[in-house]
Amino acid sequence: MRVGLFVTCLVDLMRPSIGFAALKLLEQAGCEVVVPATQTCCGQPGYNSGDRASALALARKVLQEFDGVDYVVAPSGSCAGMIRTHYRDLFKGQPEETRAAALCARTYELTDFLVNVVKFEGVVCPKNNSIKTITYHDSCSGMRELGVKAQPRALLAKAEGITLTEMNECEACCGFGGTFAVKYGEISTHIADRKCENIKDSGADAVVLGDLGCMLNIEGRLRRRGDMKTAVLHVAEVLAGAAGQPVDNSSG
């Protein structure tokens, strides 16, 4: 099974460890993983902002780069949702409409692919991992566009030495929403503060999630609020045993 890993531009630029963790998990699942070196963005920022021309140009690039693989997998519900859900609209009436529909059908978010396609059973976490309790944030795009809810929890339940404690309002938005956080900064901050309070009340060592946009927003707000201890981790990092240690409280 040849799987194309769509790394996502945020992961590539901001936290490549997520991409390496996703690669490790897919290889452990027995997949032959292809990572096109020229990949960049799925086109979502332009699409959400009404710039369909630039979004379509990037989507055509994705279509070409991932031609010939059996599946496309992304460690991001947002980017996977863009390809699987919105490319149908973006390519409607275009010469590539049929090819795009086929791409949509074979594109998956990472945990959804691991659970429902390859039936992955190989989760192993290091015994010396200091993270013992986690809480999970359901990212909006993954949950609402792709139905990603039970999948990450099913995988995390197999992680050795880690206990999942659900926070209040785990399905509520973190306040990021791409350009929403820029256009409506005060509202975004209020939403993020509420999310941070729920994370704090859970008592978990770390908040785990499946979208780097949400991760950056939540981690940034936690640190601005003075929380230097709670780790913010991608689910792939936890499952691949690459979670590392919680942030040192004395690091400033």
Side-chain angles (χ1 to χ4, degrees):
M1 180 188 298
R2 298 183 77 241
V3 173
L5 176 61
F6 186 76
V7 176
T8 84
C9 50
L10 271 184
V11 167
D12 183 41
L13 295 172
M14 304 296 293
R15 198 151 170 173
S17 60
I18 296 171
F20 287 112
L23 175 63
K24 178 179 178 180
L25 291 168
L26 290 170
E27 289 181 338
Q28 285 180 348
C31 302
E32 176 192 349
V33 185
V34 177
V35 187
T38 57
Q39 64 176 292
T40 51
C41 177
C42 64
Q44 181 181 182
Y47 182 79
N48 289 345
S49 300
D51 186 357
R52 293 179 68 93
S54 68
L56 184 59
L58 286 167
R60 282 177 170 146
K61 182 171 174 288
V62 172
L63 187 63
Q64 180 178 355
E65 289 165 337
F66 289 90
D67 189 31
V69 297
D70 299 311
Y71 294 95
V72 177
V73 176
S76 164
S78 178
C79 297
M82 174 63 192
I83 297 172
R84 188 176 180 91
T85 305
H86 299 293
Y87 272 21
R88 296 181 188 277
D89 169 63
L90 194 58
F91 278 99
K92 189 174 183 179
Q94 299 295 324
E96 308 94 338
E97 184 173 1
T98 301
R99 286 177 60 207
L103 176 67
C104 295
R106 65 179 190 269
T107 297
Y108 286 82
E109 182 272 341
L110 176 65
T111 63
D112 188 25
F113 179 78
L114 291 174
V115 170
N116 291 318
V117 179
V118 295
K119 316 297 183 185
F120 184 58
E121 296 289 344
V123 175
V124 177
C125 282
K127 294 181 179 180
N128 64 348
N129 196 332
S130 64
I131 296 169
K132 303 300 182 185
T133 60
I134 61 175
T135 192
Y136 197 86
H137 163 72
D138 294 291
S139 300
C140 295
S141 295
M143 184 176 66
R144 293 173 174 83
E145 293 182 348
L146 301 174
V148 176
K149 171 75 175 179
Q151 300 93 319
R153 288 171 171 82
L155 293 169
L156 289 167
K158 302 172 185 177
E160 182 179 346
I162 293 179
T163 301
L164 173 65
T165 301
E166 295 287 1
M167 74 173 94
N168 291 329
E169 301 180 321
C170 60
E171 296 182 354
C173 180
C174 72
F176 178 57
T179 56
F180 176 86
V182 178
K183 293 180 179 178
Y184 305 101
E186 291 185 4
I187 299 174
S188 174
T189 299
H190 174 77
I191 296 172
D193 279 337
R194 184 162 178 165
K195 178 62 65 173
C196 290
E197 285 294 332
N198 286 327
I199 293 169
K200 177 183 176 182
D201 291 345
S202 75
D205 300 322
V207 55
V208 179
L209 55 158
D211 258 298
L212 183 50
C214 300
M215 287 180 65
L216 294 174
N217 195 53
I218 291 173
E219 185 166 26
R221 195 61 195 157
L222 283 170
R223 305 300 176 243
R224 287 182 177 88
R225 289 164 54 94
D227 183 345
M228 302 296 171
K229 184 178 180 181
T230 304
V232 184
L233 303 168
H234 192 279
V235 61
E237 295 177 303
V238 177
L239 297 175
Q245 307 296 321
V247 177
D248 189 335
N249 200 20
S250 63
S251 63

